Amino acid sequence: MKKIILPIIAAFVISGCADNKAQEKAALDSVLALHEKVMGSNESLLKNKTILDSLLKKDTTAILKDSVTRHLSEVINADSAMDNWMHNFDADMTGKLPVERMIYLRSQKKQITKVDSQINAALAASDRYLKNMKMK
């Protein structure tokens, strides 16, 4: 009887570990895929930052400088959020339990999703502004 039960228990434990690894890999892949998407948006954001910087350096009216400064601030804050996320993200989870790894990856996905939203909002606002200024 022990000869039958022991292999069955071992099979359940091994399959459970394999399932955890698959879930963990899927979660990590999801975070990294979102990161790649955000990086593409961030490139466009940096182009807008360059244009807004040059507008700010021109001798313009105070009203124009205020609106450029506001948009530039949104762009800089969004870019900083991305930099902070990338600086703090650690894909090496050696020594952590599977549950801890999944919790970490879920929290990272929430954070990068928030950064994505912030970048998209700053990009959309700066795109509209620059289009109205006929700068794009």
Side-chain angles (χ1 to χ4, degrees), residues 19-107:
D19 188 45
N20 285 343
K21 290 286 185 190
Q23 287 178 344
E24 184 180 319
K25 182 176 179 345
L28 179 60
D29 288 347
S30 175
V31 170
L32 294 177
L34 190 51
H35 167 261
E36 289 302 316
K37 175 190 173 287
V38 174
M39 286 300 293
S41 299
N42 201 46
E43 286 180 31
S44 298
L45 191 71
L46 293 176
K47 288 177 187 173
N48 287 2
K49 180 184 180 291
T50 302
I51 296 169
L52 290 166
D53 274 336
S54 67
L55 275 175
L56 195 58
K57 290 176 185 173
K58 289 183 179 178
D59 189 27
T60 56
T61 66
I63 294 172
L64 182 63
K65 281 192 180 199
D66 285 345
S67 62
V68 170
T69 302
R70 181 173 46 85
H71 287 288
L72 187 57
S73 177
E74 290 173 8
V75 166
I76 290 170
N77 289 338
D79 183 49
S80 292
M82 181 63 182
D83 287 344
N84 288 336
W85 181 86
M86 287 182 6
H87 179 72
N88 292 315
F89 178 72
D90 186 9
D92 181 19
M93 294 176 274
T94 306
K96 292 185 180 181
L97 296 172
V99 171
E100 292 172 316
R101 291 191 293 256
M102 289 303 294
I103 290 170
Y104 177 74
L105 290 171
R106 285 185 189 119
S107 74

